[in-house]
Amino acid sequence: MRLGVLDVGSNTVHLLVVDAHRGAAPLPAYSHKIELRLAEHLDPRGLIEPAGADGLVEFVAEAAELAEDKGCESVYAFATSAIREAPNGEEVLERVRAETGVRLVVLTGTDEARLTFLAVRRWFGWSSGRLAVFDIGGGSLEIAAGSDESPTVAVSVPLGAGRLTRESFSTSQPDKDEIKALRKRIRIEMAAVAGDVLRAGRPQRSVATSKTFRSLARVCGAAPSADGPYVPRTLARADLIEWLPKLIEMTAEERADLPGVSPGRSHQLIAGALVADAVMDLFDIPELEVCPWALREGVILARLDQL
């Protein structure tokens, strides 16, 4: 069957169409996305501004038509932290439903962590043993660990690369004091949940997903996406530590010229790198394996299981 997944994230709104049936890997058939940066369309009270809501409605309507054109039997549409945390999120959801006919389901942070873990488990298989999975999004960091398809522990921490950049840096080239303050904030918030994750047992495989981790891995020498999803990719902490001072010294334009870094996300790369460094340091992980499957694939797999 052909299914569609519409992912409304803090940075990107993405329609993914896949050919899938239970027991088989979903095969991407079509992809369409824009960098709406919904989390940047917030007023001082945290409300989603009209421009952000307008852009979301426009894209969702376009995505619904595209999904129909591509022959999707159904489309599962969901939203994450940008909608979840906005005081007027319900109003925006109702406007989307009224004007497009699409009902967006708001995932909790725990849902995100659990579904991403499912995708990683299916990708690497049972031989991976106990997994620890880390996903840096625009608004939050999801962490999950366990030995089964459902994680033993699944947590969400407000340490997304976009959120930290907006809240901590005054320019695209932060000064030393801003870097120091953000580094301290990241480690304090992450340490508050590290104990729960570590008590689940030491992982036999530590895995990273998300665009931020993929970009950092590419900058540090991992194979390009053009080589396909089956090429092993890793992010070593030693390489990240070597690159971090260089990233801090670069302008956003210079970071955008690095392999694997898009212009729309280059301003978030420093915050993302600080989170990635803290993950590997606090959880004593010298190297993370990069998984091409993440939340969207987890949503598809869970949907197939229900069907």
Side-chain angles (χ1 to χ4, degrees), residues 2-7 15-17 63-64 66-68 72-78 102-103 303:
R2 178 159 284 192
L3 301 175
V5 174
L6 179 58
D7 175 1
L15 171 68
L16 177 65
V17 176
L66 286 171
E68 182 177 331
C72 289
E73 293 185 25
S74 63
V75 177
Y76 186 84
F78 66 90
V102 175
R103 187 180 297 276
R303 186 69 172 165

Side-chain angles (χ1 to χ4, degrees), residues 107-166:
L107 299 180
T108 67
T110 301
D111 287 337
E112 291 186 55
R114 178 178 55 80
L115 290 165
T116 301
F117 184 89
L118 172 64
V120 173
R121 169 61 72 194
R122 295 279 178 92
W123 179 266
F124 284 113
W126 292 109
S127 63
S128 298
R130 184 178 296 278
L131 289 172
V133 177
F134 305 89
D135 186 330
I136 303 173
S140 58
L141 164 72
E142 274 67 53
I143 305 172
S147 301
D148 301 321
E149 288 205 330
S150 293
T152 305
V153 57
V155 296
S156 180
V157 193
L159 295 176
R163 179 199 300 271
L164 296 179
T165 300
R166 290 192 309 275

Side-chain angles (χ1 to χ4, degrees), residues 7-13 34-43 46-61 79 82-83 86 88-89 91-93 95-96 99-100 104:
D7 175 1
V8 178
S10 297
N11 288 312
T12 304
V13 187
I34 60 167
E35 288 186 343
L36 182 60
R37 299 188 197 176
L38 195 59
E40 296 183 15
H41 289 284
L42 302 176
D43 69 14
L47 298 169
I48 297 173
E49 297 173 332
D54 291 344
L56 178 60
V57 169
E58 181 179 348
F59 183 86
V60 171
I83 296 285
N88 64 335
E91 297 174 21
V92 173
L93 292 174
R95 182 183 166 194
V96 169
E99 297 187 27
T100 70
L104 285 167

Side-chain angles (χ1 to χ4, degrees), residues 275-293:
V275 173
D277 178 49
V279 162
M280 289 191 275
D281 187 10
L282 293 182
F283 291 95
D284 191 23
I285 301 169
E287 186 175 76
L288 286 163
E289 297 182 71
V290 179
C291 179
W293 281 5

Side-chain angles (χ1 to χ4, degrees), residues 132 134 202-208 213 217 220 222 232-240 276 279-281 283-290:
F134 305 89
R202 184 162 185 82
Q204 292 162 290
R205 202 162 201 159
S206 298
V207 180
F213 272 122
C220 292
R233 295 173 175 86
T234 60
L235 174 62
R237 185 167 185 241
D239 294 333
L240 182 60
V279 162
M280 289 191 275
D281 187 10
F283 291 95
D284 191 23
I285 301 169
E287 186 175 76
L288 286 163
E289 297 182 71
V290 179

